[in-house]
Amino acid sequence: MSKRVTIDPVTRIEGHLRVDVEVDGGRVKKAWASGQMWRGVENILIGRDPRDAWAITQRICGVCTTVHAMASVRAVENALQLEIPVNAQYIRNMIMLAHAIHDHIVHFYHLSALDWVDVVSALKADPDKAAELAQSLSNWNGNSKAEFRKVQEKLKGFVGTGQLGIFTNGYWGHPAMKLSPEVNLLAVVHYLQALEVQRYANKIVAILGSKSPHIQNVAVGGVANPLSLNSQSVLTVERLLAVKEWMLKLDDFVKNVYLVDVAAIGAFYADWTKVGRGITDYLCVPDIPLDGKGTTFALPGGYIEGGKLDSFKPIKTFGDQYFVDGVSEAVKHSWYDYKGGNNQSLHPYKGETTPNYTDFQDDGKYSWLKSPTFYGKPMQVGPLARVLNMLAAGHEPTKKYATGALDLVSSIAGTTVGLDAMHSTIGRHAARAVGCAVQSDEMIKQWDLLVTNMAKGDLTTFNKPVFPKGEQMGVGFHEAPRGVLSHWVVIDSGKIANYQCVVPTTWNAAPRNEKDVPGAYEACLLDNPVADPEKPLEVLRTVHSFDPCLACAVHVVDEEQRPVVTVTAAASC
Ligand code: NFE
Ligand code: MG
């Protein structure tokens, strides 16, 4: 007999996500992903000055704080066909990359590792053996025996008081937890070190962006950072040297800890390469523009159909027509109505945001998320889509880190693990780490490009926008940490006439579309194992592998309906 499990809210994410699954014979047979909040930011923008949109849309989310600012200014610049100074691109690029690296480190260690790592088991570890294991994998200077003993003592302190502190309410001792006590301790040591290291990324964002979270330095036309080679009151070489030092510290952690841990933990959970495949149509946009117009990019983007790299179709420039023509959103299963009827899918320039809340209807409306499609098909977006597209585009750094990670996984697992293993729950973590190493290299390159250009005497950071009479339309896209983000603006004589955000988590956590085809979470959950419906850890593993952000996706909270089992899936935050 099938059993309905409702996880509401899913925790260790941003925003309010409800996931329902029907479990039969220990496997998921049907799944629903539901966004449980709505704020209507798109409607708030109507009638406003397009130069203010970035500051407002950035408040969509407290996690991916920079990304909406960037997508927004890009949308308005695209509408005006406004070129920006190359220094502004470099500064924006460094902010986006530092933010992405922060996001990935925090996602792996603090938001999802505890689905795989049993903190309580780490108490039983031999700390010296655990440190030796860590040293055999990497020469990171935080892998000493003294450090491992210290962390284990600290853990014992928590447990000795009968309280697990930040580790309360995890599924400790769950049968799906497979790591040895030593590997568990290794992961806990790095969990705590990651809390320290992530600050460097935020410092970079704060210095270049004037504030974090929610940067203050962007403007339609460039950035508001005055550059100088000698003044102390602006972004000077001294500050930039401090930024470079933090970049190198992050780089050390990403390459020698994060990438290694993901490969090691992935190897121990090799059976999870067969879970969570779901949608294998992958979309990603190019990013890290190298010129003022956005015609050349450091990181390529495109579309891959059915997981086949040779089907790759590139997305080449800002405003790329192939991308622009492909995107639309449906509301048949979402709590909105379209004037022309709910069986259609609307292009974002014609998008409508008219709420119509019902209750949670399994076969009707059940989410505040719309259902985006690319040429009529739901997509998977995010780190896996990014890495596969970059591989398909022949991006050498991606090839280097992906090959290195798969070789390490293969040597620890004692069997050859190939690229096909990436289409999975654990593969999404591996792809995130591989992409993060690529981003770290690129961030340092962007620093060099800025400093070299400043040395040539070019200190320009802003081109003033001019708003003509009449209507202009523009799209701004950005490859945000969770995937393809696009903002679509219609401007009428200097005022916003329509504004739509089509966001990474909207792509991935979408409800069924106008043709009743499930979104990526729903598809990837099918056939997931569930050993104990009262503790659906395995469902969380797959959902967390996407790093949900519902605040972004729906830009009101309702009570859950008719659950057989309701589980508050906790641990940490
Ligand atoms: Ni709020 Fe976000 C990212 C955006 S949503 S975290 O990355 O845009 O998926
Ligand atoms: Mg939207």
Side-chain angles (χ1 to χ4, degrees), residues 14-15 39 58 60-68 71 99-100 103-104 381 386 478-487 501-508 521 546-555:
E14 163 77 9
R39 290 179 298 149
Q58 194 180 198
I60 284 175
C61 185
V63 169
C64 59
T65 60
T66 63
V67 306
H68 296 286
H99 170 261
D103 196 281
H104 298 326
V381 302
R386 190 177 309 148
H478 166 39
E479 186 62 23
R482 288 156 199 76
V484 180
L485 167 66
S486 55
H487 283 204
C501 310
V502 186
V503 178
T505 297
T506 317
W507 286 98
N508 283 336
Y521 288 11
F546 288 95
D547 196 6
C549 179
L550 274 292
C552 277
V554 290
H555 355 259

Side-chain angles (χ1 to χ4, degrees), residues 395-457:
H395 189 246
E396 284 302 326
T398 307
K399 225 189 263 179
K400 178 178 92 179
Y401 290 113
T403 309
L406 286 170
D407 286 351
L408 183 55
V409 172
S410 301
S411 85
I412 298 171
T415 173
T416 306
V417 178
L419 193 61
D420 197 55
M422 300 283 275
H423 304 278
S424 65
T425 293
I426 201 81
R428 275 183 283 278
H429 286 288
R432 194 176 277 105
V434 166
C436 191
V438 172
Q439 288 165 334
S440 182
D441 283 352
E442 195 51 49
M443 182 168 68
I444 293 166
K445 273 194 210 152
Q446 293 296 312
W447 187 94
D448 288 338
L449 285 170
L450 175 67
V451 172
T452 308
N453 200 44
M454 286 171 69
K456 284 187 205 151

Side-chain angles (χ1 to χ4, degrees), residues 148-281:
F148 276 53
R149 287 189 207 130
K150 192 179 82 190
V151 169
Q152 198 184 39
E153 284 308 311
K154 202 179 207 176
L155 262 188
K156 280 184 185 153
F158 280 165
V159 179
T161 63
Q163 296 189 356
L164 279 165
I166 56 169
F167 300 123
T168 309
N169 280 346
Y171 289 144
W172 317 130
H174 192 284
M177 291 287 195
K178 300 278 193 228
L179 300 180
S180 68
E182 282 70 30
V183 180
N184 283 318
L185 179 59
L186 177 156
V188 174
V189 169
H190 294 165
Y191 174 111
L192 295 172
Q193 290 170 343
L195 281 173
E196 296 296 316
V197 171
Q198 52 88 26
R199 285 188 303 148
Y200 297 121
N202 253 336
K203 284 168 87 155
I204 297 169
V205 175
I207 291 298
L208 298 177
S210 312
K211 178 173 164 294
S212 180
H214 297 127
I215 51 173
Q216 296 298 304
N217 71 314
V218 286
V220 170
V223 292
N225 308 67
L227 295 176
S228 168
L229 295 175
N230 46 31
S231 165
Q232 293 301 309
S233 58
V234 299
L235 187 55
T236 181
V237 173
E238 192 189 24
R239 286 281 80 193
L240 285 169
L241 286 172
V243 164
K244 176 79 176 273
E245 200 180 309
W246 301 327
M247 287 180 176
L248 294 175
K249 288 195 158 125
L250 277 173
D251 192 62
D252 185 18
F253 187 83
V254 168
K255 311 263 178 69
N256 295 317
V257 186
Y258 176 28
L259 198 50
V260 176
D261 284 355
V262 170
I265 292 173
F268 290 120
Y269 281 108
D271 48 336
W272 277 80
T273 60
K274 298 189 184 66
V275 179
R277 190 178 176 97
I279 290 178
T280 54
D281 291 327

Side-chain angles (χ1 to χ4, degrees), residues 42 329 370 500-502 553 555:
E42 290 152 326
E329 290 191 299
K370 294 179 180 174
Q500 293 289 321
C501 310
V502 186
H555 355 259

Side-chain angles (χ1 to χ4, degrees), residues 517-533:
V517 182
Y521 288 11
E522 297 179 334
C524 292
L525 279 168
L526 294 187
D527 220 31
N528 243 240
V530 181
D532 176 0

